[in-house]
Amino acid sequence: MSSRDVWGEWLTERGELRRQRGTERFDAILRQGRDDGLLDLASNDYLGLAQDERVVAAAREALGHYGTSASASRLVTGTLPVHRELESALARLTGQPTGLVFSTGYAANLGVLTALTGRGAQILLDAHAHASLHDAARMSRVPYATFAHNDPVALDAALAERAGSRVVVAVESIYSVLGDAAPLLELASVCDRHGALLVVDEAHGVGVAGAGRGLVRELGLAGDPRVVVTATLSKALGSQGGAVLAPAAIRDHLVNTARSFIFDTGLAPASAAAALAAVRIVEAEPGLAGRVRANAAAISAAFGTEQAAGAVQSVPMPDADTAVAACLDLRAQGVLVGCFRPPSVPDGVSRLRVTARADLSPAEVQEATRQIRAVVHRAQDVIA
Ligand code: PMP
């Protein structure tokens, strides 16, 4: 007797629901390699360092020296000299006392929120905070809530309600989808008044804001014992991995309690070496971040919008289907832009995400924005 195919039925039902809701996602191959001739305004390689010969050579050398894997978790035999060097370099870059490297930015966010909470703690998240911070809050198994995006008054009220508990507040410095910056000074001062710890995810700030050193440092908050920074190595630093940049006592605590650090294989040495080379380039060439700003200014001028705080320009679209069609249309013309739609957008608005990479020439930016504008206008006409 054959049993009912419970799993098959369930998966079919889930697929039908996704298609009805228009939330089906695709992991289509849109790139063939570094020389595929496409104009890339979609990736997070903001400084073009993933393609930089110095970064590629550092990864190659590490492969020769260490092999392909750290081969163990950091607390067994997976801590290598390149991890330590990278941690010091990241701390120096961002002006934080210490660094601790994780295998991804996602794991860094999971580690920091789960390890710093526990009994008696609560978490408050900006309503637009990245999914990894939301997942981290859930995994922390402590009460958590969101406050209105970039609103220090709302945060103040939420903290007042939680007087007496140890509260961790988590925000991004530059938001990944909307591209706007957090009012970090105001948020830090509210946190300070209530004794809360502020975790700032600089995934889109490091390498781009503050001449590459991040928004926390630019605003003079680096080294503040109540501010913890998280970062990814997979965007402006052109590699893979994540980091927490924090006072030494917090680093020690994470080494002892952050499960996404302890029970995870150490960052691949080639990735660590690539990120280390990238950090050195960012330090030596602050003009790279300036080129991102100049390209961001040209893109916002082309769209008639306010200049984005970092590299990301968000272009709202009428609906999800139109956004997907516009992305595919642009891809057919050789231009890559990001397509974000529910459920990956915090405000439910589908949009194109256009990134101002440092290694695009002014002529390339002009050509790409001309094509993007034409496709967006066509989409809007069809809707009208
Ligand atoms: N935080 C933010 C704000 C991000 O945008 C991302 C990547 N999309 C992450 C964390 C996760 O970083 P990683 O890709 O290194 O896991």
Side-chain angles (χ1 to χ4, degrees), residues 44 104-107 109 130 132 172 174 176 201 203-204 232-235 241-242:
N44 299 316
T104 62
Y106 195 105
N109 280 342
H130 189 256
S132 55
E172 292 179 42
I174 294 178
S176 51
D201 180 342
H204 301 270
T232 173
L233 313 179
S234 67
K235 302 192 193 295

Side-chain angles (χ1 to χ4, degrees), residues 140-382:
S140 295
R141 294 186 292 180
V142 299
Y144 76 94
T146 58
F147 63 94
H149 177 55
N150 275 352
D151 187 344
V153 175
L155 174 62
D156 194 31
L159 282 168
E161 254 179 51
R162 286 162 181 79
S165 22
R166 249 175 342 101
V167 185
V168 177
V169 174
V171 302
E172 292 179 42
S173 62
I174 294 178
Y175 279 83
S176 51
V177 176
L178 301 186
D180 54 345
L184 285 183
L185 285 176
E186 291 84 345
L187 295 172
S189 126
V190 171
C191 285
D192 211 34
R193 215 167 38 247
H194 292 276
L197 187 76
L198 180 62
V199 172
V200 184
D201 180 342
E202 285 251 52
H204 301 270
V206 164
V208 173
R213 292 165 180 273
L215 192 59
V216 167
R217 182 159 189 178
E218 185 178 23
L219 296 176
L221 289 169
D224 182 325
R226 291 247 177 92
V227 176
V228 172
V229 170
T230 66
T232 173
L233 313 179
S234 67
K235 302 192 193 295
L237 298 176
S239 181
Q240 184 97 30
V244 176
L245 302 142
I250 289 186
R251 187 187 187 280
D252 288 347
H253 180 74
L254 294 180
V255 167
N256 284 278
T257 52
R259 296 172 65 84
S260 61
F261 176 80
I262 298 170
F263 297 103
D264 197 22
T265 297
L267 178 64
S271 297
L276 176 60
V279 169
R280 289 179 177 148
I281 293 170
V282 171
E283 283 178 320
E285 297 176 23
L288 270 179
R291 293 230 287 279
V292 174
R293 309 288 303 146
N295 282 344
I299 291 171
S300 45
F303 287 102
T305 51
E306 207 181 304
Q307 187 179 340
V312 172
Q313 180 76 52
S314 164
V315 181
M317 296 296 283
D319 57 52
D321 288 345
T322 318
V324 174
C327 273
L328 293 176
D329 205 354
L330 283 163
R331 166 67 174 75
Q333 296 174 44
V335 177
L336 290 172
V337 298
C339 173
F340 284 69
R341 62 207 162 100
S344 303
V345 277
D347 53 3
V349 176
S350 295
R351 53 194 12 109
L352 304 185
R353 182 177 177 272
V354 181
T355 49
R357 299 174 54 240
D359 57 343
L360 292 168
S361 70
E364 286 173 324
V365 170
Q366 203 185 3
E367 176 55 18
T369 47
R370 187 188 64 70
Q371 297 193 43
I372 299 166
R373 277 173 47 209
V375 166
V376 170
H377 285 158
R378 228 174 15 251
Q380 282 163 349
D381 284 351
V382 171

